[in-house]
């Protein structure tokens, strides 16, 4: 009788809840899409710009294409070590603060601060506290700095913290990459006698000058995502990337700057994106906190450290794959670069759903609205699976014809054709893995996300080393397929077993 009457209480059934509504344009579906579509477009804009860079550079020659491929992989992976924890933590914290601030003014009219609504200790820290008469309207406006008013900027402590930390990390990253460019490239398999070394070092050094802008712009994107505003980052990113695409041929071919021109164009675009986002953010948020204690650095550092562990594990896997491809020669690296850029650019479409899930779930968990949390998790996972299947079909049929856009070298094209089935077939796994990440971050399940990813990375690294040695280029992509499968399974098992923050599913 349990299986007949109460089967819906089994946590794993969450994945199938209201599956018939996956395409329904109800309020939840519209909210998810209003966040996910602009977020996905913004997330894919930069990889698409990198693809355009790759296409332009590929016209110079296969050595330059491979050299820039190594540099982009290295820059992106080092950036992710700082970006991923910063953006993910910022999105969750800002969404929580924004959600709590919406309810606070209504409650404050009828009760004092000390007798306020139940919330955990961390959530209480989100609301700046001061002594005095709680019924005084001036105090209410000062005490709850985050109250939304039509013509008044808000105090969002996490926004101030994110920009401060992002600026510092950006400067550190720029200095590190410029100073250590050659040793890092050597680690990636570009040795001192390799023809790839000079163009790779040239591109990496110049592009590193844009690191502060990259970190700041992505920190601000995290703030806007927390507000469930993904359109502003989209407009800024498109403006920057269109500038990048326009400047590429000008610097590379008209001014004859080659790979240096591509790097300079990219740096200019990043500073433009950062300037646009800062201008828009200053219109909405007062970024000067009342005092240093409101910056909540301890909260950022604690959860940021957990995600740092996670992103190092992810970074090492992808960087190792690129390094193993580079060690097989410039032809293998050039083909791997094209396949990887397409793989990442298309997969990031699912990250839009992850952003939507994270922003909505963070607010739902902050308000202990578990019905909304369950419905949101189910819907974004179902959307993610449908998206992954659609992407697999599109890439499997279309990429065969588009490979020549990146290079005319016959050997590189041959290897790209070998990699296409892996790029296409892994899309459902990639989509589910990214969406599971967003769901776990929305539930503030940072510890599980970190520890499970470390275990996945260990297994994946072993697969990469063994399979690349035995199967070469194909072996690397088989190992990457296993890696994404393990990531998806790790997310599946958390909700499917009703553990951690999802324990309520056992009794719902």
């Amino acid at each position: 009788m349990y299986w007949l009457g109460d089967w819906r209480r089994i946590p794993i059934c969450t994945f199938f809840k209201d599956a018939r509504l996956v395409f329904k344009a109800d309020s939840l579906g519209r909210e998810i899409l209003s966040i996910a579509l602009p977020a996905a477009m913004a997330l894919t804009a930069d990889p698409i710009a990198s693809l355009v860079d790759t296409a332009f550079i590929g016209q110079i020659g296969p050595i330059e294409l491979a050299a820039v491929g190594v540099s982009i992989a290295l820059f992106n992976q080092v950036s992710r070590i700082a970006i991923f924890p910063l953006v993910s933590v910022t999105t969750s914290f800002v969404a929580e603060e924004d959600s709590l601030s919406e309810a606070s003014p209504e409650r404050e009219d009828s009760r004092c601060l000390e007798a306020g609504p139940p919330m955990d200790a961390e959530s209480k820290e989100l609301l700046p506290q001061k002594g005095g008469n709680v019924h005084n309207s001036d105090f209410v406006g000062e005490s709850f700095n985050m109250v939304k008013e039509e013509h008044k900027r808000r105090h969002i402590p996490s926004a101030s913290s994110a920009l401060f930390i992002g600026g510092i990390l950006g400067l550190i990253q720029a200095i590190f990459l410029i100073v250590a460019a050659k040793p890092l490239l050597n680690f990636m398999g570009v040795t001192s006698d390799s023809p790839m070394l000079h163009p790779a070092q040239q591109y990496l050094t110049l592009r590193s000058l844009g690191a502060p802008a990259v970190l700041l712009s992505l920190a601000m994107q995290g703030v806007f995502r927390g507000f469930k505003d993904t359109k502003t980052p989209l407009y800024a990113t498109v403006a920057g990337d269109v500038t990048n695409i326009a400047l590429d041929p000008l610097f590379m071919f008209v001014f004859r700057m080659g790979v240096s021109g591509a790097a300079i164009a990219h740096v200019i675009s990043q500073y433009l994106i950062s300037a646009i986002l800062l201008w828009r953010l200053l219109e909405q948020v007062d970024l000067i906190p009342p005092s240093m204690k409101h910056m909540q650095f301890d909260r950022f550092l604690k959860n940021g450290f957990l995600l740092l562990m996670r992103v190092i594990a992810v970074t090492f896997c992808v960087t190792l794959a690129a390094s193993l491809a580079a060690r097989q020669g410039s032809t293998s690296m050039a083909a791997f670069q094209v396949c990887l850029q397409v793989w990442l650019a298309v997969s990031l479409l699912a990250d839009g759903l992850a952003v939507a899930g994270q922003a909505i779930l963070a607010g739902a968990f902050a308000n202990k609205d578990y019905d909304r949390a369950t419905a949101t998790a189910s819907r974004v996972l179902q959307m993610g699976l449908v998206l992954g299947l659609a992407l697999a079909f599109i890439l499997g049929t279309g990429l065969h014809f588009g490979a020549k856009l990146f290079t005319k070298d016959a050997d590189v094209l041959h290897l790209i054709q070998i990699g296409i089935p892996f790029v296409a077939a892994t899309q459902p796994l990639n989509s589910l893995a990214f969406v599971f990440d967003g769901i776990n971050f929305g539930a503030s399940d940072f510890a599980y996300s970190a520890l499970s990813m470390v275990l996945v990375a260990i297994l994946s690294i072993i697969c990469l080393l063994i399979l690349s040695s035995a199967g070469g280029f194909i072996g690397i992509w088989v190992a990457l397929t296993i890696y994404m499968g393990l990531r998806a399974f790790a997310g599946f098992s958390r909700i499917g077993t009703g553990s951690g923050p999802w324990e309520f599913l056992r009794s719902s």
Side-chain angles (χ1 to χ4, degrees), residues 105-163:
E106 300 170 4
R107 292 171 175 148
E108 194 60 20
D109 288 337
S110 60
R111 67 186 77 183
C112 66
L113 185 62
E114 289 76 11
M119 61 180 72
D120 56 33
E122 249 190 0
S123 296
K124 288 181 181 178
E125 293 175 4
L126 298 176
L127 303 177
Q129 310 281 327
K130 291 190 180 181
N133 183 358
V134 294
H135 295 287
N136 183 293
S137 60
D138 292 335
F139 169 74
V140 172
E142 185 177 11
S143 211
F144 291 93
N145 288 325
M146 297 174 290
V147 176
K148 293 180 180 180
E149 297 181 12
E150 187 175 356
H151 301 293
K152 185 177 179 181
R153 292 184 300 173
R154 291 169 286 177
H155 282 295
I156 302 291
S158 294
S160 304
S161 304
L163 265 65

Side-chain angles (χ1 to χ4, degrees), residues 44 46-54 65 68-70 72-73 76-77 207 334-348 406 423 477:
T44 55
D46 188 61
I48 288 172
S50 293
L51 281 173
V52 175
D53 280 352
T54 302
L65 177 61
V68 172
V70 176
I72 290 176
N76 287 344
Q77 297 314 314
R207 183 158 173 175
F336 182 82
Q337 163 66 4
V338 172
C339 290
L340 184 67
Q341 288 298 319
V342 173
W343 193 61
L344 293 177
V346 176
S347 297
L348 284 175
F406 303 102
V423 174
W477 280 103

Side-chain angles (χ1 to χ4, degrees), residues 255-338:
F255 296 157
R256 300 184 182 277
M257 298 176 70
V259 296
S260 297
I264 293 171
H266 199 90
V267 169
I268 291 172
S269 72
Q270 291 301 321
Y271 277 99
L272 177 60
I273 293 171
S274 186
I276 294 172
L277 288 173
L278 182 60
W279 167 57
R280 293 293 297 161
L281 190 60
L282 286 171
E283 293 181 343
Q284 301 180 39
V285 178
D286 187 352
L287 295 176
I288 301 177
S291 66
M292 287 298 292
K293 69 178 182 180
H294 292 135
M295 297 287 280
Q296 303 175 45
F297 288 128
D298 57 336
R299 211 166 168 248
F300 264 86
L301 293 175
K302 180 180 73 174
N303 292 287
F305 177 75
L306 289 171
L307 289 186
L308 179 62
M309 291 172 52
R310 185 183 190 283
V311 78
I312 288 175
V314 173
T315 297
F316 196 86
C317 287
V318 178
T319 305
L320 177 61
S323 176
L324 291 171
R327 292 174 191 277
Q328 295 177 11
S330 60
T331 299
S332 178
M333 184 59 217
F336 182 82
Q337 163 66 4
V338 172

